[in-house]
């Protein structure tokens, strides 16, 4: 009989804690992949660069199944095509398997490429609770040279919000008149509730004066701006992770459970639209995200 090694109780407890952390981290990674918060190529890169990373310990089967629109049948066909055994983990792939997988990923999920050329009309959009408002507020404070558009809305002001500064608070009749008179560059009903729109005049004036204009609007509005002004630069703000997005949504605590669930569903749909955008900016840190957005218009960095 082989002599069993006696593992002290404390070591075993620490090891199982570590294993649990790993499992949680892998589950979070899979959520990031499913919700498109993280590109599959990024996860693979992490696995290759760091053999100790959570990404490296992710099974190839779990990795593939976490990708949008891949079920068990497709997963098996892909593994066969790429000559990868289903027991492999991302960190244990051979050079040839890595190359084949990368190539397949790039075909299936074309990497995001920035559009050449810059515009002084910047549109900042992104999923609910990603922090667009906070990034926009930071830009208003730190970069006064940028004209931040003030939207019109039919919702009531929240405490601390000032008419004409944060929004133009209007009633439905006034909003209808603005549309009828062609005074809105774009408008949309957000979260199936209130209407929001970008007054055209101040945007045109600021652009004519040579200033950069930033619109912080929802996805429907961003699409309308793209149609009306094809040269506009569309920036999509991404959360650092899906779990962080959920935290921000819950942490804000201003919505009830039903409303939160609805906003999360909206956020998932909105994340799926990121490919329509010219630039992706991750909002891990507000000041950094704000600087990156501003630099997109000034051209000082990519
Ligand atoms: P909140 O009511 O929390 O200030 O804003 C709700 C949502 O409305 C945010 O996603 C914000 O981006 C969007 N929004 C604000 N102003 C406009 C606008 O002028 N047009 C559109 N389409 N969406 C807007």
């Amino acid at each position: 009989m082989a002599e069993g090694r006696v593992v002290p109780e404390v070591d075993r407890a620490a090891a199982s804690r570590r294993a649990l952390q790993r499992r949680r981290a892998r589950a979070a990674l899979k959520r990031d992949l499913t919700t498109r918060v993280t590109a599959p190529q990024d996860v693979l890169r992490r696995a290759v660069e760091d053999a100790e990373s959570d990404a490296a310990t992710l099974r190839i089967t779990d990795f593939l199944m976490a990708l949008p629109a891949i079920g068990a049948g497709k997963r098996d066909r892909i593994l066969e095509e790429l000559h990868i055994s289903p027991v492999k983990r991302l960190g244990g792939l051979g050079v040839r398997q890595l190359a084949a997988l990368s190539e397949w990923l790039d075909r299936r999920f074309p990497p995001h490429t920035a559009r050449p050329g810059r515009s002084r009309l910047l549109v900042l959009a992104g999923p609910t609770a990603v922090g667009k408002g906070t990034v926009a507020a930071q830009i208003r404070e730190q970069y006064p040279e940028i004209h931040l558009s003030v939207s019109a809305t039919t919702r009531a002001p929240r405490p601390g919000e000032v008419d004409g500064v944060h929004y133009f608070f209007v009633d439905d009749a006034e909003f209808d008149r603005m549309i009828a008179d062609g005074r809105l560059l774009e408008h949309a009903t957000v979260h199936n509730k209130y209407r929001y729109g970008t007054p055209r005049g101040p945007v045109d004036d600021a652009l004519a004066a040579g200033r950069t204009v930033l619109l912080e609007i929802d996805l429907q509005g961003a699409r309308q701006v793209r149609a009306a002004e094809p040269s506009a630069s569309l920036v999509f703000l991404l959360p650092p992770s899906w779990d962080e997005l959920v935290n921000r949504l819950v942490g804000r605590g201003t919505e009830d459970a039903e409303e939160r669930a609805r906003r999360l569903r909206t956020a998932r749909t909105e994340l799926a639209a990121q490919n329509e955008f010219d630039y992706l900016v991750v909002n891990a840190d507000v000041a950094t995200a704000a600087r990156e957005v501003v630099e997109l218009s000034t051209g000082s960095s990519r």
Side-chain angles (χ1 to χ4, degrees), residues 43-286:
V43 173
L44 189 60
R45 200 170 307 129
R46 271 184 245 166
V48 173
E49 282 171 5
D50 180 2
E52 297 298 311
S53 63
D54 299 316
T57 67
L58 193 61
R59 275 187 202 285
I60 180 74
T61 43
D62 288 345
F63 174 71
L64 290 176
M65 292 285 276
L67 303 181
I70 294 197
K74 234 182 227 163
R75 171 200 63 195
D76 295 343
R77 280 197 299 279
I78 296 161
L79 287 176
E80 223 179 278
E81 180 192 323
L82 303 179
H83 303 291
I84 299 177
S85 147
V87 300
K88 285 273 184 186
R89 292 180 188 265
L90 290 188
L93 296 174
V95 177
R96 230 170 299 159
Q97 290 174 326
L98 272 175
L101 181 58
S102 296
E103 201 180 294
W104 180 84
L105 286 173
D106 284 351
R107 247 184 297 134
R108 173 98 197 193
F109 306 95
H112 193 273
T113 45
R115 255 185 354 153
R118 292 169 198 284
S119 164
R120 279 187 295 104
L121 181 55
L122 280 179
V123 177
L124 182 64
T128 302
V130 72
K132 287 177 305 218
T134 320
V135 171
Q138 174 86 9
I139 292 174
R140 186 191 348 241
E141 230 171 70
Q142 298 293 318
Y143 306 92
E145 68 276 19
I146 295 201
H147 174 84
L148 194 62
S149 160
V150 179
S151 301
T153 181
T154 58
R155 84 152 162 76
R158 295 195 186 116
E161 284 183 336
V162 179
D163 189 35
V165 175
H166 299 96
Y167 281 107
F168 293 109
F169 297 99
V170 300
D171 59 16
D172 272 303
E174 174 62 12
F175 202 92
D176 284 337
R177 270 196 299 277
M178 293 177 97
I179 297 173
D181 297 346
R183 280 188 277 151
L184 296 180
L185 176 59
E186 59 75 36
H187 62 90
T189 302
V190 179
H191 301 311
N192 298 321
K193 254 184 165 171
Y194 299 108
R195 293 192 288 170
Y196 296 80
T198 304
R200 189 189 293 274
V203 171
D204 289 345
D205 291 349
L207 287 173
R211 295 179 70 187
T212 291
V213 175
L214 179 70
L215 313 182
E216 184 256 291
I217 58 179
D218 88 320
L219 190 61
Q220 311 165 69
R223 288 184 176 129
Q224 289 176 41
V225 174
R226 159 116 312 155
E229 306 281 344
S231 66
S233 282
L234 269 55
V235 186
F236 194 86
L237 204 58
L238 277 171
S241 69
W242 171 256
D243 289 356
E244 180 57 28
L245 185 68
V246 175
N247 279 345
R248 288 177 193 179
L249 200 55
V250 174
R252 194 153 70 179
T254 46
E255 297 86 19
D256 61 27
E258 196 185 323
E259 173 65 14
R260 273 206 306 272
R262 197 156 57 100
R263 286 193 172 203
L264 275 182
R265 277 199 302 278
T266 308
R268 273 178 178 270
T269 316
E270 286 169 335
L271 278 167
Q274 60 186 269
N275 291 351
E276 298 170 35
F277 282 68
D278 303 314
Y279 302 100
L280 303 180
V281 169
V282 177
N283 183 22
D285 165 75
V286 175

